[in-house]
Amino acid sequence: MISELSKSSFKQTIYQAFTQCRAKTLTLFESIDEVTFRRQAHPDFSPVGWHLGHIAYTESLWLLERSAGLPCMFPQYRKLFAADGLPKCDRVKLPNLEEIYYYLDTVRAKVFDYLEVADLETEEPLWRFLLQHESQHSEIICFVLELIKRQMSSVKCEKLITVDSGVRTLDLTKPEAMIQIPAGEFEMGNNSPDAMDNERPAHRVYLDTYEIERYPVTCGQYRLFMAHGGYENPQWWSKAGWEWLQTAKVTQPLYWREDLAWENHPVCGVSYYEAAAYAEFVGKRLPTEAEWEKAASWDAKTNHQRAYAWGDTQPTSESCNHDCKMGKTTPVNAYSAGQSPYGLYDTLGNVWEWTATWFDGYEGFQYYPYIGYSQVYFDNQHRVLKGGSWATRPWALRCSFRNWYHPDVRQILAGFRCVR
């Protein structure tokens, strides 16, 4: 049983987290215009304004209607903002920003009223799920806005004047650029109240010895792949990857910047196919999800799984590049305080990292709060990504967190690192 003191403390924690998360979401809309608000930047992604309305819709559906038993306050929005309501191309017909703000505020006021009487012993996972749900949509808003900025720029690969942190160009040919992870068992997954359904249950996994790169692949490294005809030579590509490339006709990462000041930054905006082709080019491969998670989270000295690479304390500005604080990638060796027990840099934040693993449930998986969050994607068509990006909110940032996308998607803020 949760004590009254614990209930009060948890209510305050949830109130503060929901309030902070919402403030961060709304910051993204402070200077937005109506065209950008409604614009569909890519066929696979909804307008940013739709995501804002969907956040309110989801809170209302799960906390007010299904938990509190209240009637739907805005039935006119049910079809528009439901995830399965309209095709993405039809989501451009939105109320204006002020109306959606009113929707958000009205729902949130009722949500906080309900928080005072909610049964937190049974509903804690739902509140934590919804906090992360908004965090995830906030990140989608971030990268859709990045896409729009890119599309509206008259020069796609302009020379950028940047001021970096004075970090020297990394020599990633040295032996210490690869870290050996000894054979043995580790704990994978997560049973904490924060864990999403696909992270559960925590379980033991045995891995043979392998080596993994200390840093994500940098723009400087990827430039060599491009310079040596990486996008023209089918020998580096899988059959599916080469077929994709013939249709996509791309010659560089989506967020590529033709500026040597970015050489130490992680390559960003690559599909799984591009990541796998680069790995083949350098005689390596992409890590499995288990290999990535062990290298990022397992402390062999204490035989303990860390929630974050650096320990169990929540992310800060010193531990990793996240929460839109920088608004861009940073050099891969900029956060020494965020190293994993094995010495990996940048496992959390900066860029998501593709793995070779198809998204699926762990043995004993049980969906929560609905089949459509994870289970419908257990289709051998989505690859797992790990780690988070510079736009990932702290509530959705941990070593066990699982992201998933089709292997041809490159709009997300994704890079990778290799193993052998």
Side-chain angles (χ1 to χ4, degrees):
M1 297 287 288
I2 300 177
S3 69
E4 289 304 316
L5 183 61
S6 296
K7 288 180 182 178
S8 176
S9 176
F10 176 66
K11 286 178 182 178
Q12 188 61 27
T13 297
I14 285 294
Y15 179 87
Q16 290 175 348
F18 269 52
T19 301
Q20 291 168 3
C21 186
R22 179 57 51 82
K24 293 173 187 292
T25 301
L26 296 182
T27 297
L28 301 173
F29 292 87
E30 283 179 347
S31 58
I32 202 167
D33 59 77
E34 286 288 339
V35 173
T36 303
F37 184 70
R38 302 166 189 276
R39 179 169 175 163
Q40 188 180 25
H42 187 275
D44 291 343
F45 298 99
S46 303
V48 294
W50 181 89
H51 288 280
L52 199 58
H54 175 70
I55 289 167
Y57 166 82
T58 305
E59 268 191 26
S60 178
L61 176 67
W62 287 98
L63 291 176
L64 302 184
E65 297 172 49
R66 298 197 177 181
S67 296
L70 299 174
C72 178
M73 293 190 294
F74 294 84
Q76 69 272 31
Y77 293 154
R78 184 177 292 279
K79 186 173 183 180
L80 173 59
F81 290 123
D84 57 355
L86 292 173
K88 291 183 174 69
C89 59
D90 292 337
R91 295 174 179 178
V92 297
K93 301 167 186 175
L94 295 166
N96 62 39
L97 183 57
E98 289 70 27
E99 290 177 85
I100 295 184
Y101 278 170
Y102 177 75
Y103 183 28
L104 285 163
D105 291 344
T106 305
V107 168
R108 178 52 64 83
K110 286 287 187 182
V111 162
F112 281 158
D113 286 345
Y114 177 62
L115 177 61
E116 292 303 311
V117 298
D119 179 4
L120 299 180
E121 287 196 56
T122 58
E123 288 185 15
E124 179 180 356
L126 181 60
W127 288 86
R128 293 186 182 276
F129 169 85
L130 290 167
L131 178 62
Q132 294 177 74
H133 175 267
E134 177 163 345
S135 298
Q136 290 172 276
H137 281 275
S138 178
E139 178 162 355
I140 296 173
I141 291 165
C142 281
F143 70 70
V144 170
L145 291 174
E146 286 292 307
L147 287 174
I148 292 173
K149 277 192 278 185
R150 183 172 183 80
Q151 292 166 358
M152 297 182 72
S153 172
S154 58
V155 183
K156 295 295 174 65
C157 290
E158 69 274 24
K159 272 285 206 180
L160 298 178
I161 300 173
T162 61
V163 180
D164 262 342
S165 56
V167 179
R168 294 180 180 178
T169 302
L170 294 170
D171 182 357
L172 298 174
T173 62
K174 293 181 178 179
E176 57 266 31
M178 296 290 290
I179 295 174
Q180 185 177 89
I181 310 297
E185 277 195 341
F186 80 106
E187 187 170 283
M188 184 174 182
N190 191 342
N191 289 334
S192 78
D194 285 314
M196 304 301 250
D197 60 1
N198 58 66
E199 295 172 71
R200 298 171 179 271
H203 54 286
R204 304 285 291 192
V205 175
Y206 175 88
L207 294 176
D208 290 327
T209 300
Y210 61 99
E211 289 183 303
I212 187 167
E213 291 176 335
R214 186 181 297 274
Y215 308 104
V217 171
T218 65
C219 292
Q221 290 174 294
Y222 199 86
R223 185 187 296 279
L224 295 176
F225 172 66
M226 293 163 58
H228 285 81
Y231 282 92
E232 288 83 52
N233 193 335
Q235 78 176 97
W236 313 123
W237 297 76
S238 66
K239 183 176 182 293
W242 187 251
E243 289 174 355
W244 166 78
L245 186 61
Q246 303 320 294
T247 302
K249 299 187 184 303
V250 298
T251 58
Q252 62 187 28
L254 179 60
Y255 300 114
W256 187 257
R257 301 189 178 190
E258 199 57 59
D259 185 337
L260 295 180
W262 292 77
E263 293 292 270
N264 281 357
H265 289 238
V267 65
C268 183
V270 291
S271 66
Y272 167 85
Y273 295 132
E274 289 165 283
Y278 171 91
E280 182 71 20
F281 171 74
V282 296
K284 301 175 185 176
R285 61 177 174 82
L286 296 182
T288 64
E289 180 182 11
E291 287 171 336
W292 187 99
E293 193 165 326
K294 180 177 181 180
S297 69
W298 188 244
D299 188 337
K301 292 180 180 177
T302 62
N303 202 38
H304 170 72
Q305 176 200 48
R306 294 182 177 183
Y308 309 101
W310 53 87
D312 294 324
T313 57
Q314 294 186 344
T316 68
S317 298
E318 286 70 48
S319 54
C320 63
N321 177 14
H322 73 295
D323 206 18
C324 296
K325 291 176 181 176
M326 302 300 291
K328 60 179 182 179
T329 60
T330 48
V332 296
N333 62 345
Y335 291 88
S336 59
Q339 293 180 69
S340 78
Y342 287 112
L344 274 68
Y345 277 70
D346 256 14
T347 51
L348 295 181
N350 225 2
V351 291
W352 288 97
E353 298 183 27
W354 287 105
T355 75
T357 299
W358 292 110
F359 185 54
D360 202 352
Y362 299 144
E363 185 176 350
F365 169 85
Q366 294 182 330
Y367 73 80
Y368 183 87
Y370 61 105
I371 289 176
Y373 178 68
S374 297
Q375 189 169 325
V376 295
Y377 300 101
F378 299 163
D379 55 6
N380 282 327
Q381 295 183 37
H382 296 78
R383 298 281 186 178
V384 174
L385 298 102
K386 299 290 282 186
S389 77
W390 58 260
T392 304
R393 300 301 185 193
W395 302 283
L397 193 74
R398 55 184 172 271
C399 293
S400 60
F401 192 92
R402 311 176 76 196
N403 198 357
W404 65 93
Y405 275 98
H406 286 290
D408 61 351
V409 173
R410 60 206 306 262
Q411 290 73 31
I412 54 177
L413 304 169
F416 62 101
R417 75 180 77 212
C418 302
V419 303
R420 66 183 176 204

